[in-house]
Amino acid sequence: MTAFSTLTDLELIPVIEEQNSRLSFTSFDHDDAVALGNALVARAAADDLSFTTSILFGAQRVFHAARPGTNADNDDWLAKKARVVARFDAPSLLVGARCRAAGIDFHEVFGLDRSQFIPAGGGFPLRVNGSLIGFVGVSGLPERDDHSIVVEALEAAIARHS
């Protein structure tokens, strides 16, 4: 599903860094969050994908939907990915790829609780004019697919805003 599914972590890092620097809105409100969330759900339904999606403004969950085939574990993974995005102001896949490429254990190096933080793909910062305002995430597919679906949805939403 992903265009970068065969890339090594070292090759993946600059791709995600570019996405991270590029994907920012000029404005984004609750209605935009619902539209983005609904677009993610529509994509899942169209492609018969099983994932859960969540959008946060800071600590406030402004959108959440779960597709058939998911469960409460997906909600938990989204919360863990959201904490990574908030803590590192970066996509969760980027944080994980950097750690793997450097050969370090994320939880050990940063002293973060495994039950609260997971640097798995699928979590992405929501930004307005480059400033972090929240999180959008997907959980339920392989991590690079989770990431790609979020990026594609953000790209489409940003294009509609322009």
Side-chain angles (χ1 to χ4, degrees), residues 9-132:
D9 285 322
L10 277 175
E11 294 167 329
L12 186 61
I13 291 168
V15 173
I16 303 172
E17 286 174 339
E18 183 278 328
Q19 294 167 342
N20 189 39
S21 66
R22 174 174 50 86
L23 296 175
S24 183
F25 293 88
T26 56
S27 66
F28 196 86
D29 61 20
H30 286 76
D31 292 332
D32 296 318
V34 170
L36 176 60
N38 284 335
L40 284 161
V41 171
R43 166 73 189 279
D47 293 345
D48 195 27
L49 301 173
S50 294
F51 64 72
T52 300
T53 186
S54 192
I55 299 173
L56 307 175
F57 286 171
Q60 181 189 23
R61 184 168 37 187
V62 295
F63 186 91
H64 187 85
R67 294 272 305 147
T70 63
N71 57 51
D73 288 343
N74 298 105
D75 299 336
D76 190 43
W77 275 78
L78 281 166
K80 292 174 184 182
K81 293 176 188 185
R83 288 184 195 99
V84 168
V85 169
R87 172 91 177 224
F88 294 91
D89 191 13
S92 52
L93 184 60
L94 179 58
V95 174
R98 285 175 173 161
C99 289
R100 288 187 301 271
I104 62 173
D105 181 282
F106 170 81
H107 297 98
E108 184 178 303
V109 168
F110 295 106
L112 298 172
D113 186 342
R114 291 179 191 279
S115 71
Q116 298 296 308
F117 294 84
I118 189 73
F124 208 95
L126 273 177
R127 291 199 174 85
V128 172
N129 297 319
S131 295
L132 182 67

